[in-house]
Amino acid sequence: QDDDKWDFVLVSDIHEVGSEKEIKRKKFLDELSKKGFAIKKIEDKNLFYGVRAPRQIFLKYQWLLRNPDSRLQSPDAHHDIPVTTRIRIVNFILQNTVTPDGEKLRDLMKKKKVFKAAFPLHKKEEMREFLKQRWARWRDIFCQQPIEKIRGYFGEKVALYFAWLGWYTYLLGFAAVAGLVVFVAGITVLSSSQVSREICEASSTVMCPLCDQHCPFWLLSDTCTYAKVTHMIDNEGTVVFAMFMAIWATVFLELWKRQRATVVTDWDLYGWDEDEEELALELINNLQHEPRRYQHSYLRSTVVLLLVLVMIAVLIGLAHGLVIYRVVATALFSQSELEFFREQANTVAVMTGAVLHYLTIVIMTKVNRRVALYLCDLEKPRTFSQRENNFTVKIFTFQFFTNFSSLIYIAFFLGRINGHPGHYVRIAGKWRLEECHPSGCITDLFIQMAIIMLLKQTISNVVEYLLPWIKHKIRKKRQRPKKRNVMLGEEEEEAEDPCKRQWLSNYQLNEVNVFSLFDEFLEMVIQYSFTTIFVAAFPLAPLLAFCNNLFEIRLDAIKMTRLCRRMVPRKANDIGIWLQVLEAIGILAVIGNGLVIAITSDFIPVLVYKYTYSPCMVGNSTGLDCSTGYINHSLSIFRIQDFEPDTKLPQMPPDFVGHEIKEYRDYRNADDYSYTVQFWHIFAARLAFLILFEHVALCVKLIAAWYVPDVPQSVK
């Protein structure tokens, strides 16, 4: 047996002889010794205990699972199972070894502070050096990933994550090109839109003030630039791109299922069962182990459901807080002494609101995790895999509402629940709700999406890389190894133990935990949500995600191989419940994009005008653009004397004559301000388009899912 090969290292402070912590540490190590573990002690500023499992444990594993890994090793190999499997078995036994006091390693680390760390070792073996030189380098950003080598060193779960991320990024390239084409096409027709041209020429159309105090009357032509930008996003190409992304999401998942089937078949894991593996490990650790029975408590499920709903209500409440911020900020900016803030009060409020939304996401991510863990503890799942699945569903639900509540408000409620001049809806009876920009709400959604995605993908990635790098350098500087080495049961030796440097260098690396890989998956799934759900308002989302992922792969690789301790390898034959989450996002993407086009966009109102009220339908208008007159048609007349009493009317423009002012984006009668027939006509058209779009998109998704088999013929 090799004396220098150790499966795990436990790190502890140097406690006083006879202290409670020293006694608890000795009891735990004694339990390991009873199971046949070899233990080696090295003393530095901390105590390091190397543990090595006896051969019998791995023979039991092979017998219980009929040696699923035997074909991976050559007959003359010293260890007849892969190192990744060996580490996984030892970790399970360490985590589930119980002391006479009924305490496990987790209790001794978190509550009692007996041990400071427990980790498997990074070793200077050929496979790790290959990964450092050929994978974890920025210059290999466009190179294919060595998935087999990743599996051999980090285990199947990590390898499948990188295989999925690589496949997602590869197919994202096609969506990025399509989105870029749509965006560039929008730029080329920037000034050719009849709608934006009418806004630019509306120099005699006077609009209502945008706030109650100190806001002037303004001309519709003042928003010329904004109208052009809106048309750049809101055009016929957007509808086609939204349909394309619905199909892309389905094709991506179907092709991934095929890719996954090929990979796990090569690994001989297609029929592997996680519950069976967990039961085998329980029996290896304790032959008297009895599997927990399946239990279901309606009371517990009801309590968990109610708590989830309360948490969702809190997250929606935070979104309402952001709405209030934007309302108050718009009022304050509009009263600013600086001309820029007065003129661009709404845009500045939206942009600062987006930054505040990003900060809310960062803070609530930590809160959401604690709440999701607490709810999982309440549920008392039977196995670790069940607990992981329950946690995944809860944390994704919370994160979804954290990320998207504000976007949902901007997309579907902004400017539609604020009333009309003379009868505005107000917060606390004081501040009136914000309105859409005269050229539409879709640009507000575009700004919000752009800021959040850019902040998430720049600041988050910089922090994700720099923080572990700085921590690693600081820990390395602080650690000053002593010149003595104590072996268990032996006197002090002068020569330095060859294990000491290796154990110290591993301890100086950043800590990893059971959530390390989970966090990477969650980050990518949230990004996938941004890339698909509101892509109709932000065609550049796939391009930003594609560029981010090229760096994300190498960033994660560098962290895992150079900056962090070795992850405990986990066996897997798929990406787990994340696949169901991705499929749910695909359906939400169809609904979300359908709603954006039907409600947020001006696509339907313009279409209704063209084919019902335009000059083309009234008489002979050869050569005339059918959307001519749309802007005038979409504005309603308001009488100045009908303003609310507390509204401070600004001074009239010198060239303004009459008592009528037009407000944009509403269809109301001039006498009683009730909705016109045109409003209900457009409402019916929006509803019809939404139903048609979603049914067509879902049918295409189902056909694509049927057409592309989940499992390739070669695998079958």
Side-chain angles (χ1 to χ4, degrees):
Q1 198 170 24
D2 295 330
D3 290 336
D4 61 338
K5 290 189 176 179
W6 299 91
D7 300 315
F8 245 82
V9 172
L10 302 173
V11 184
S12 167
D13 283 323
I14 300 175
H15 304 125
E16 291 183 15
V17 178
S19 67
E20 182 188 4
K21 290 183 178 180
E22 197 264 347
I23 293 169
K24 287 183 179 295
R25 184 181 69 217
K26 189 173 185 305
K27 285 180 179 178
F28 182 78
L29 295 174
D30 287 345
E31 289 298 318
L32 292 180
S33 297
K34 289 176 187 176
K35 293 180 179 181
F37 277 74
I39 300 174
K40 176 178 180 176
K41 176 183 174 185
I42 291 179
E43 185 176 336
D44 190 69
K45 286 186 175 180
N46 299 291
L47 292 177
F48 293 83
Y49 294 91
V51 296
R52 181 172 56 235
R55 185 179 177 82
Q56 292 79 1
I57 283 177
F58 308 114
L59 293 175
K60 285 181 188 176
Y61 175 83
Q62 290 178 325
W63 185 84
L64 285 168
L65 293 178
R66 298 297 182 268
N67 197 9
D69 294 310
S70 59
R71 73 182 185 88
L72 298 176
Q73 296 287 328
S74 57
D76 58 342
H78 183 76
H79 297 295
D80 50 3
I81 63 169
V83 175
T84 52
T85 304
R86 184 182 180 98
I87 292 172
R88 188 171 68 253
I89 295 169
V90 173
N91 176 66
F92 186 90
I93 294 171
L94 287 176
Q95 297 296 335
N96 290 277
T97 295
V98 184
T99 67
D101 299 329
E103 294 172 325
K104 293 184 178 181
L105 182 60
R106 184 182 175 186
D107 303 316
L108 296 175
M109 289 180 70
K110 301 291 183 184
K111 297 177 183 176
K112 304 297 181 181
K113 308 293 183 184
V114 174
F115 291 105
K116 296 172 70 175
F119 52 87
L121 291 165
H122 277 301
K123 297 173 183 175
K124 288 192 175 180
E125 55 191 68
E126 183 183 346
M127 195 175 293
R128 187 194 180 204
E129 294 306 309
F130 177 89
L131 291 174
K132 286 172 74 172
Q133 297 301 321
R134 300 292 181 87
W135 179 53
R137 295 174 75 92
W138 294 113
R139 70 183 183 192
D140 299 322
I141 197 166
F142 295 107
C143 298
Q144 193 171 0
Q145 298 182 86
I147 298 300
E148 282 296 329
K149 298 283 187 183
I150 298 169
R151 181 218 177 190
Y153 192 76
F154 289 108
E156 289 80 4
K157 190 105 177 173
V158 172
L160 277 171
Y161 164 72
F162 282 105
W164 174 82
L165 182 54
W167 188 249
Y168 167 47
T169 305
Y170 171 69
L171 288 183
L172 204 53
F174 298 99
V177 170
L180 189 60
V181 168
V182 170
F183 187 74
V184 171
I187 293 174
T188 57
V189 296
L190 198 65
S191 302
S192 63
S193 164
Q194 176 63 28
V195 174
S196 57
R197 195 182 299 125
E198 285 187 9
I199 292 177
C200 293
E201 294 171 357
S203 56
S204 60
T205 305
V206 183
M207 305 294 289
C208 289
L210 294 174
C211 66
D212 296 330
Q213 313 291 329
H214 308 296
C215 283
F217 292 103
W218 53 282
L219 299 176
L220 184 57
S221 56
D222 294 344
T223 62
C224 178
T225 305
Y226 206 102
K228 290 179 179 179
V229 172
T230 299
H231 181 67
M232 180 181 71
I233 310 158
D234 189 2
N235 53 60
E236 293 79 2
T238 304
V239 181
V240 177
F241 185 58
M243 182 68 78
F244 168 81
M245 285 303 294
I247 300 168
W248 176 88
T250 303
V251 171
F252 157 63
L253 288 179
E254 293 304 316
L255 291 178
W256 162 248
K257 290 174 187 175
R258 290 172 62 84
Q259 180 79 356
R260 168 253 165 196
T262 305
V263 169
V264 297
T265 302
D266 290 341
W267 295 348
D268 199 22
L269 288 176
Y270 196 83
W272 174 81
D273 182 77
E274 188 169 5
D275 289 343
E276 184 181 321
E277 166 108 356
E278 190 170 333
L279 179 58
L281 293 175
E282 290 282 10
L283 290 171
I284 291 169
N285 182 54
N286 178 15
L287 285 173
Q288 308 303 318
H289 171 76
E290 292 185 9
R292 287 178 61 182
R293 294 183 178 276
Y294 283 101
Q295 294 179 338
H296 180 75
S297 167
Y298 285 103
L299 177 62
R300 190 179 292 124
S301 298
T302 304
V303 170
V304 169
L305 179 61
L306 290 173
L307 290 174
V308 167
L309 292 175
V310 168
M311 187 63 186
I312 290 173
V314 169
L315 295 172
I316 293 173
L318 285 173
H320 286 169
L322 290 171
V323 172
I324 294 170
Y325 164 79
R326 281 199 299 269
V327 169
V328 176
T330 303
L332 293 176
F333 284 132
S334 62
Q335 298 172 29
S336 171
E337 294 179 0
L338 296 173
E339 185 181 353
F340 173 78
F341 285 127
R342 284 201 306 274
E343 292 180 352
Q344 304 294 333
N346 188 54
T347 306
V348 174
V350 169
M351 293 180 75
T352 53
V355 174
L356 193 62
H357 184 198
Y358 169 74
L359 295 175
T360 306
I361 291 171
V362 172
I363 295 167
M364 289 308 297
T365 297
K366 300 181 185 300
V367 177
N368 291 343
R369 170 172 294 178
R370 289 182 177 274
V371 174
L373 280 172
Y374 173 74
L375 293 176
C376 283
D377 290 337
L378 281 183
E379 282 182 312
K380 297 182 179 177
R382 178 174 170 268
T383 61
F384 179 80
S385 58
Q386 279 184 351
R387 178 185 175 85
E388 188 176 44
N389 288 346
N390 293 350
F391 177 75
T392 300
V393 171
K394 288 177 182 60
I395 192 73
F396 174 76
T397 302
F398 295 156
Q399 285 296 93
F400 180 84
F401 279 97
T402 303
N403 283 271
F404 288 98
S405 292
S406 184
L407 292 173
I408 289 169
Y409 169 78
I410 290 174
F412 310 132
F413 297 101
L414 178 63
R416 290 170 184 83
I417 56 173
N418 60 317
H420 60 86
H423 193 267
Y424 283 115
V425 175
R426 297 179 182 277
I427 295 174
K430 184 176 181 182
W431 296 290
R432 78 189 206 197
L433 287 177
E434 55 191 328
E435 300 176 43
C436 280
H437 195 276
S439 17
C441 283
I442 200 164
T443 310
D444 292 334
L445 186 59
F446 177 89
I447 292 170
Q448 188 92 349
M449 287 272 292
I451 290 175
I452 292 172
M453 282 200 75
L454 284 169
L455 286 177
K456 277 180 71 69
Q457 296 184 354
T458 52
I459 296 176
S460 297
N461 274 353
V462 168
V463 170
E464 189 180 342
Y465 178 74
L466 284 183
L467 213 59
W469 184 80
I470 292 168
K471 281 183 180 178
H472 173 55
K473 293 297 180 185
I474 291 172
R475 292 183 70 161
K476 205 170 182 181
K477 211 168 186 179
R478 282 181 182 172
Q479 195 72 29
R480 294 283 184 265
K482 295 181 182 178
K483 293 186 177 180
R484 65 194 189 96
N485 175 33
V486 180
M487 298 288 290
L488 195 64
E490 294 182 16
E491 296 297 324
E492 184 178 333
E493 295 179 355
E494 292 182 5
E496 182 174 301
D497 191 291
C499 295
K500 182 177 181 179
R501 181 173 294 179
Q502 184 191 24
W503 294 6
L504 277 171
S505 63
N506 274 263
Y507 179 61
Q508 287 163 4
L509 296 173
N510 291 292
E511 185 180 355
V512 294
N513 53 47
V514 72
F515 293 115
S516 296
L517 187 63
F518 177 89
D519 290 340
E520 304 297 342
F521 256 122
L522 181 62
E523 181 187 349
M524 287 297 104
V525 171
I526 292 295
Q527 183 211 78
Y528 179 78
S529 304
F530 274 105
T531 306
T532 53
I533 291 179
F534 287 126
V535 76
F538 190 47
L540 291 179
L543 180 63
L544 289 180
F546 175 76
C547 296
N548 173 77
N549 289 3
L550 289 176
F551 289 97
E552 182 74 28
I553 291 171
R554 305 302 158 181
L555 179 64
D556 290 344
I558 291 169
K559 281 197 309 180
M560 288 185 186
T561 54
R562 299 171 184 270
L563 300 178
C564 294
R565 295 171 192 162
R566 189 173 186 172
M567 280 188 184
V568 175
R570 286 186 58 193
K571 188 174 277 191
N573 61 1
D574 58 24
I575 59 173
I577 202 168
W578 288 116
L579 187 62
Q580 284 76 44
V581 171
L582 291 169
E583 287 175 338
I585 292 169
I587 295 170
L588 286 174
V590 172
I591 298 169
N593 286 306
L595 286 167
V596 167
I597 296 167
I599 296 176
T600 317
S601 165
D602 265 356
F603 176 74
I604 299 300
V606 172
L607 212 60
V608 170
Y609 177 78
K610 278 183 178 180
Y611 294 103
T612 310
Y613 305 103
S614 73
C616 298
M617 305 306 295
V618 175
N620 187 14
S621 54
T622 309
L624 185 69
D625 191 311
C626 289
S627 57
T628 302
Y630 167 73
I631 291 299
N632 194 51
H633 175 80
S634 64
L635 298 176
S636 301
I637 294 172
F638 179 74
R639 294 183 298 274
I640 295 175
Q641 60 266 30
D642 292 335
F643 268 119
E644 292 161 294
D646 56 347
T647 302
K648 290 185 180 178
L649 288 176
Q651 188 178 1
M652 298 293 177
D655 56 345
F656 178 67
V657 180
H659 299 281
E660 294 181 345
I661 298 177
K662 290 185 176 181
E663 59 160 15
Y664 182 60
R665 282 189 67 84
D666 218 342
Y667 297 85
R668 294 181 182 273
N669 291 306
D671 49 359
D672 60 355
Y673 303 115
S674 60
Y675 287 121
T676 62
V677 174
Q678 288 93 329
F679 171 84
W680 297 110
H681 192 171
I682 291 170
F683 180 81
R686 289 184 194 272
L687 194 60
F689 172 83
L690 180 62
I691 294 169
L692 182 66
F693 177 87
E694 291 185 358
H695 279 69
V696 169
L698 288 173
C699 284
V700 170
K701 280 173 68 68
L702 289 172
I703 292 169
W706 165 80
Y707 186 76
V708 182
D710 290 356
V711 183
Q713 191 65 36
S714 58
V715 173
K716 289 181 179 178

